[in-house]
């Protein structure tokens, strides 16, 4: 479905206003952007009751529509969660401003000076699903990096998002910045989201956040360039020489510490010559943590009662206390398996042999490849970025955890004194 | 139109073979890749007659189909042009290999070492039009950067491209690399090009080279990420304080030196308080070089006989000895005009005032912004990159002239000794 002519006109007016505001925001000083962020944090605290009341409307509608408990939980804003959001905004104040950083430069032989520096994208579009905390999160990251933002947060969170955007706009005005720098297009519904994906020229980059399905839709339908954050079918390979304790600790950590996230492991591959030594111990430890194992026939023969894995299991991101297990004959077979089923997010090898470690690091084509470390380390916070925009599984622009610099592009500045090309 | 099931199967077999070859090429040493490039150069020289003969078939077909002289010229390969292609390949041998360069890294507090290094994309798809020299150019850049490549060079150059790809494959085999690293899909026709744009997962990035129309089609239809190289509606703004000689020299150079390229100027904006001083002299100099001027009413009143510019003129990339001229009241009006009509490629201000120069550099949102320099400097060779993949007008991944590093992505390598996340 497309927007009616009248709605399309309103939609484009709104996006043009955001685009116009980006002329101001993109050249605003760090101190002014930080002042806006501080105002957002303060207004979130001051107007928490108003946010909770608006959120109650969304929750009532969600329950009436039969929303699952998990989705209701993600939709819920409490005073405590709002305070946490305000704290997260204040953390972004403390991060370095990526804008203006010179990445390279030189003096050409004819005396022309060239320098490449980081500048904001301009207008970022965000598409996500019924998680009002993302509204604050994305807006704060965008403002800090000098970007304006058009938010499509889903009609299920429309009331919450309306109040949150009003708070953000009030904060922008307090800091002397244009209110138009942040807008929601929730009122245009699904057709508005579709139009946003076709708004090349008005929006510089789209950031989808949410399910694999949502991201796939945006990637397929958008003519606006997409910063893709992807699902993780993450592998750990236990090589022949893997240390038993290290293997068990890392797999446990990678599976159990937080099973619902993209950097949790979904499949463990084990070298056949390590299987008898490691798998029974590993299976026992995982079962103690209520992890369901699904294995290949050889794995099943080593662990009595293990469920058989199907072809689907190798291609599934469980995001749950389920782990698939496969015994392989060699590092090559492990790499082949990863090549077939991985989403190119994160893979780790546990080994004591340098040659195997280096081959794994070189040959596995994933955003993050590891030796003897938990896959849970693939994270902007862990990598020291301070805030995370998401984890990119695409190869263009950014790969792996994305911080504030990944919300910027570059511009070449060229300074001459009359030079012409001969 | 889609490929038939049978052709689609053949198409996918070919792309899978390229993808498989990328496992070898992506981890091959620089010396081996350079050996393949040297073989390409030598075989081009040795088999030049064969190339010219195949090219003659394409030319005969082109003439029979009424191809224009300009297109025939671009399609033509002579012994001299083949020698120049071989020389260009040897220049790429001399460039630094971007693969393996560490861009950042640190030791996390828990002793885990992280490093981000440049790695090849994997498989690059190239879509271009009846220019067989691009076949060699793109393949050589891809091989040097460790990428395999799928070429769609247009059916008008099919015979030439078939021989050129055979030469490249022979050279790869001489160097011990897989012949499958470079393939053409010309035999699948237009439907093959359409299928290439839908081959997400088999192709990592698409590089369209050619007309604005071709690039627009690829951007709109491709689900594979695109490295967009765009058209240039390039502006020079002559500020109130512009030096007369500098203004005339730079505009002449930017327009006349090579009018058919994307970094040539298309519109000159002149501050109203400089117009009477500069425009008549500038117009005289341009007319001596047979440049047709199309101006706003105020420009026309200063230059007798000047043709009037229409709205279309401001939005046209002439690529010819035509220049549009507009007098503006202020720097703000110049920036507004650029904001409306620029393709965000390159803009230059000619001024003696620092405040105006700095505002222009900060506020104009283009890949390259200049002060007192010819727009013709926006070029990989001029910037010292040695070879140019194209000039990106998009904001994702690369902006401005692209060299070999822009044909790579990055990968994080993480080395621990058993660390888990707490």
């Amino acid at each position: 479905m497309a927007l009616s002519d009248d709605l399309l006109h309103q939609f484009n007016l709104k996006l043009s206003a955001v685009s116009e505001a980006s002329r101001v925001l993109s050249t605003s000083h760090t101190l002014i952007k930080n002042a806006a962020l501080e105002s957002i944090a303060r207004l979130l605290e001051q107007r928490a009751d108003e946010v909770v009341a608006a959120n109650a409307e969304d929750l009532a509608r969600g329950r009436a529509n039969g929303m699952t408990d998990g989705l209701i939980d993600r939709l819920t804003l409490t005073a405590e969660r709002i305070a946490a959001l305000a704290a997260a905004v204040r953390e972004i104040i403390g991060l370095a401003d990526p804008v203006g950083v010179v990445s390279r430069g030189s003096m050409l032989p004819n005396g022309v000076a060239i320098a490449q520096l980081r500048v904001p994208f301009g207008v970022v579009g965000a598409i996500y699903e019924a998680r009002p905390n993302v509204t604050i999160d994305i807006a704060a990251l965008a403002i800090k990096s000098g970007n304006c933002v058009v938010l499509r947060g889903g009609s299920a969170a429309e009331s919450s998002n309306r109040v949150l955007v009003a708070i953000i706009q009030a904060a922008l005005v307090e800091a002397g910045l244009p209110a138009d720098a942040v807008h929601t297009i929730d009122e245009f519904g699904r057709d508005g989201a579709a139009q946003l994906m076709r708004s090349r020229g008005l929006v510089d980059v789209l950031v989808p956040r949410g399910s694999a399905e949502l991201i796939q839709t945006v990637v397929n339908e958008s003519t606006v360039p997409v910063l893709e954050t992807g699902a993780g079918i993450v592998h750990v390979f236990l090589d022949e020489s893997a240390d038993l304790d290290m293997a068990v600790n890392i797999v446990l950590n990678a599976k159990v510490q937080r099973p619902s996230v993209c950097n949790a492991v979904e499949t463990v591959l084990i070298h056949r010559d390590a299987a008898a030594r490691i798998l029974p111990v590993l299976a026992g430890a995982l079962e103690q943590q209520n992890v369901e194992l699904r294995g290949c026939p050889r794995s099943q023969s080593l662990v009595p009662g293990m469920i058989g894995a199907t072809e689907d299991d190798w291609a599934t991101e469980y995001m749950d206390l389920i782990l698939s297990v496969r015994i392989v004959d060699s590092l090559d077979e492990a790499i082949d398996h990863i090549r077939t089923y991985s989403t190119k997010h994160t893979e780790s090898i546990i080994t004591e042999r340098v040659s195997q470690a280096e081959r794994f690091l070189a040959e596995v084509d994933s955003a993050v490849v590891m030796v003897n470390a938990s896959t849970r380390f693939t994270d902007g916070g862990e990598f020291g970025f301070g805030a995370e925009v998401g984890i990119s599984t695409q190869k263009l622009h950014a790969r792996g955890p994305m911080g504030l610099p990944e919300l910027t592009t570059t511009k070449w500045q060229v300074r001459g004194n009359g030079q012409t090309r001969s």
Side-chain angles (χ1 to χ4, degrees), chain A:
Chain A
M1 282 292 293
L3 293 172
S4 69
D5 283 355
D6 191 43
L7 283 173
L8 181 60
H9 181 68
Q10 287 176 40
F11 182 93
N12 282 334
L13 275 183
K14 202 162 201 180
L15 262 62
S16 299
V18 178
S19 182
E20 193 64 28
S22 89
R23 298 172 76 166
V24 177
L25 199 64
S26 64
T27 54
S28 290
H29 296 183
T30 310
L31 295 178
I32 291 172
K33 295 185 289 188
N34 283 347
L37 294 176
E38 178 54 39
S39 287
I40 291 174
R42 183 175 42 74
L43 289 175
L44 277 173
E45 292 163 347
Q46 288 177 355
R47 294 169 65 174
D49 291 348
E50 193 185 335
V51 175
V52 170
N55 186 245
E57 294 173 26
D58 290 329
L59 289 171
R61 217 171 340 109
R63 288 202 187 89
N65 293 338
M67 204 179 240
T68 65
D69 288 351
L71 289 177
I72 287 286
D73 180 56
R74 285 165 46 171
L75 179 58
T76 303
L77 289 178
T78 60
E80 194 182 7
R81 288 184 179 185
I82 293 166
L85 274 178
V89 171
R90 291 205 173 94
E91 269 182 38
I92 293 172
I93 295 174
L95 299 180
D97 187 340
V99 175
V101 172
V102 176
S103 36
R104 27 179 189 167
S106 62
M107 182 80 81
L108 304 185
N110 60 5
V112 169
I114 67 173
Q116 184 184 43
L117 60 161
R118 295 214 157 272
V119 295
F121 276 124
V123 178
V124 173
I127 299 188
Y128 51 101
E129 286 163 331
R131 294 188 75 162
N133 60 312
V134 174
T135 303
I136 294 296
D137 188 31
I138 286 274
L141 291 166
I143 291 168
K144 179 74 185 214
S145 55
N147 291 293
C148 293
V149 64
V150 180
L151 301 159
R152 156 67 187 172
S155 34
E158 194 173 339
S159 301
S160 314
N161 287 338
R162 193 180 307 119
V163 173
L164 292 172
V165 169
I167 284 174
I168 295 164
Q169 292 182 329
L172 287 164
V173 171
E174 279 188 9
L177 292 170
D180 284 331
V182 177
H183 268 298
T184 169
I185 54 157
D186 283 346
E187 73 271 25
F188 295 97
R190 282 179 178 275
D191 298 341
Q195 186 60 35
L196 185 63
M197 296 186 221
R198 289 191 294 268
S199 295
R200 198 178 171 92
L202 286 170
V203 177
D204 293 292
V205 61
L206 268 188
V207 184
R209 296 251 300 232
S211 67
E213 194 190 343
L214 169 84
I215 292 166
Q216 206 48 50
T217 301
V218 174
V219 163
N220 286 335
E221 296 185 8
S222 179
T223 59
V224 177
V226 176
L227 272 191
E228 185 182 350
T229 54
I233 298 181
V234 165
H235 297 77
V236 174
F237 171 53
L238 310 180
D239 182 39
E240 182 187 353
S241 63
D243 178 84
L244 174 65
D245 287 345
M246 191 188 289
V248 171
N249 284 338
I250 285 178
V251 173
L252 268 180
N253 184 256
K255 181 74 251 181
V256 174
Q257 199 226 7
R258 201 166 166 206
S260 66
V261 292
C262 61
N263 58 18
V265 65
E266 307 294 0
T267 300
V268 167
L269 304 168
I270 311 182
H271 193 286
R272 65 176 178 201
D273 295 331
R277 176 171 62 91
I278 296 178
L279 185 52
V281 183
L282 177 63
L286 286 163
E287 276 162 19
Q288 277 204 326
Q289 301 285 332
N290 300 313
V291 177
E292 176 186 317
L293 296 178
R294 302 183 186 176
C296 66
R298 285 194 282 183
S299 303
Q300 287 181 289
S301 73
L302 285 172
V303 182
M306 185 189 277
I307 301 167
T310 66
E311 177 69 19
D312 276 354
D313 281 299
W314 312 127
T316 298
E317 185 183 22
Y318 299 117
M319 309 196 100
D320 203 348
L321 288 176
I322 306 172
L323 183 72
S324 57
V325 181
R326 185 174 198 169
I327 294 174
V328 294
D329 291 339
S330 61
L331 173 61
D332 283 304
E333 198 183 323
I335 292 175
D336 281 344
H337 178 101
I338 290 169
R339 190 175 158 77
T340 306
Y341 298 105
S342 167
T343 53
K344 305 192 175 185
H345 184 296
T346 300
E347 331 293 340
S348 186
I349 184 175
I350 314 303
T351 186
E352 292 300 309
R353 288 175 59 198
V354 170
S355 60
Q356 306 301 93
E358 293 302 320
R359 273 199 59 202
F360 191 89
L361 289 175
E363 294 180 28
V364 172
D365 179 27
S366 296
V368 186
V369 286
M370 301 181 166
V371 176
N372 295 342
S374 169
T375 57
R376 293 275 297 115
F377 285 118
T378 298
D379 174 90
E382 292 291 322
F383 273 29
F385 297 170
E388 184 179 278
V389 176
I391 295 172
S392 166
T393 51
Q394 71 184 10
K395 293 183 176 177
L396 225 53
H397 185 71
R399 200 173 185 209
M402 294 188 285
L404 279 175
E406 281 70 32
L407 279 184
T408 63
T409 178
T410 55
K411 171 196 259 188
W412 286 96
Q413 290 188 341
V414 174
R415 294 157 196 269
N417 52 10
Q419 285 90 341
T420 55
R421 187 162 164 189
S422 50

